[in-house]
């Protein structure tokens, strides 16, 4: 979930497409981890896992682009306290994003039933 338009095919998700946002990735252990992610069209920078998600977890996500030199990310789960900021400073996109949210599952390998609800969004310039 973020700004940009990642490339999705039947067999892969390309995280190097220009974007800033968050991704949820299921690890080999079966755990689903939330990470911050950004890419400049060639290379992706992703944070370490920010939190592990469980069924029915609610997430609030926020990000701020700081003068094109850094992107700060925050999250909170199930109405808890906001996390400290996670700042990524490399591979920031300069392209104008064409999508505010994109949801994709590729090769889940197991029966998957996923729902993404955007309850509110705000853009401040």
């Amino acid at each position: 979930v973020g700004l940009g338009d990642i490339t999705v095919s039947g067999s892969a998700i390309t995280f190097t497409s220009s974007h800033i946002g968050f991704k949820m990735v299921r690890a080999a252990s079966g755990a689903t981890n939330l990470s911050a992610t950004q890419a400049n069209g060639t290379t992706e920078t992703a944070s370490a896992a920010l939190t592990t998600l469980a069924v029915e977890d609610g997430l609030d996500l926020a990000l701020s682009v700081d003068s094109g030199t850094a992107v700060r990310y925050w999250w909170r789960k199930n109405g808890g306290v906001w996390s400290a900021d996670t700042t990524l400073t490399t591979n920031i996109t300069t392209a104008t994003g064409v999508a505010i949210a994109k949801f994709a599952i590729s090769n889940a390998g197991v029966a998957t039933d996923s729902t993404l609800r955007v309850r509110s969004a705000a853009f401040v310039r």
Side-chain angles (χ1 to χ4, degrees), residues 22 34 50-51 58-64 72-86 120:
F22 294 88
L34 176 72
L50 302 172
T51 189
L59 283 174
D60 293 307
L61 305 171
L63 60 85
S64 173
R72 296 185 302 151
Y73 299 87
W74 301 268
W75 61 273
R76 70 177 174 178
K77 188 166 49 173
N78 300 322
V81 298
W82 284 96
S83 68
D85 69 303
T86 296
S120 67

Side-chain angles (χ1 to χ4, degrees), residues 5-54:
D5 199 4
I6 59 173
T7 303
V8 179
S9 71
S11 61
I13 300 172
T14 305
F15 290 109
T16 57
S17 301
S18 294
H19 73 276
I20 56 174
F22 294 88
K23 66 180 178 180
M24 291 171 267
V25 176
R26 182 178 294 152
S29 66
T32 301
N33 297 314
L34 176 72
S35 297
T37 176
Q38 60 196 44
N40 60 8
T42 305
T43 306
E44 178 197 23
T45 297
S47 70
L50 302 172
T51 189
T52 300
L53 304 171

